[in-house]
Amino acid sequence: MSDVVAVGEQELVRKQLDELHARFGSFGEDQVVSYYPEDAPDDQRHFFGLAGTNIDGTQWQAGDCSVPFPLHSVSKVFTYGLALEDNGAEATLARVGVEPSGDPFNSITFDEVHHRPYNPMINAGALVAANLVAGRDVDEKVDRILERYRAYSGNPNLAVDQRILRQQLRSNDRNLGLCYVMRSLGMITGDIDEVVETYLSACSITVTAADLSVMGATLANGGRNPLTGERAVAREYVRDIVSVMMTCGMYDAAGQWANEVGIPAKSGVSGDIVCVLPRYFGFGVYSPGLDVHGNSVRGVALCRELSETFGLHVFADPADSRFGRVAQPTLPGDGGG
Ligand code: GLN
């Protein structure tokens, strides 16, 4: 990890992170938490956590980092990784593209030239990725997904929240519709209920912001979990996974995100965001209020500010004084980073 931040400076950085977290704590409070079931706890919308994990294993947290939430669309990143491993890059690309769609996450649109969904970060492509995961039946596929997610997070207790899964299966017309259209076009094969259940089970795996930061850090660390040393995905696929996060991870706001934040990331409708800064760290943000794209309002605002404050934008010139008070992407670490 970078040695740019001197030991004495680390406390200052931690303080800045706390301040950023506090500054955005009341931002967007009035935002509708549109995706949550009516019986969700009333205080749900107030949760706000920011956690980071450096590839050297150092961790930092601000706010609600141990509140569990379903991964929802953030799961698409990790299931795509498994699809790549199970099928290879070429066969996977034949079935799901890597082009931003510019459409909302659940839109029923396809890349008609290549006869496939645009990318695996929107529902159509994620359903194809679920279809590509190897396994005899749903149970085996979900077990394999869970095993991987546990390796990414280093948390052996990750599980599918069956209540959330059932809720999702009940209000699922759009995903079913997508699957029927795709099967009629030859883009998916086999049993539709199985595809949808595999996909929604991955969406229903619950994590905390702290878990999510480790999952991001595992990608930042070339696919090996920096805390446990376990490999979660083959190194050769990490580039493909992180690239598609950069171009497509924030739905139809991906362009603006790339411009303003400039960190590969993926959001989900529970208000979660995972960010991956290759070779440095991952962070996880959780705050349920959503904007029109389905991205966390406070999460996006906080990430924009984090990127500027610490100079994290992957394309920013370190000499540009607008971006960052330090020359390299750094966040606090033990004993000099
Ligand atoms: N489970 C959700 C769905 O498929 C995930 C959507 C999302 O996070 N954007 O509808």
Side-chain angles (χ1 to χ4, degrees), residues 35 71-74 76 105-106 121 123 168 171-172 174-175 199-200 203-204 251 266-270 272 293-294:
Y35 204 81
L71 275 168
H72 279 299
S73 277
V74 170
K76 290 169 169 135
F105 67 88
N106 56 5
M121 301 292 111
N123 285 24
Q168 289 199 85
S171 54
N172 189 37
R174 191 100 185 168
N175 287 325
Y199 163 70
L200 289 180
C203 289
S204 306
Y251 312 123
K266 179 78 198 89
S267 58
V269 293
S270 41
D272 51 343
H293 308 289

Side-chain angles (χ1 to χ4, degrees), residues 38 70 100 254 267 295 306 320:
E38 276 164 22
S267 58
N295 294 328
L306 263 178
D320 182 341

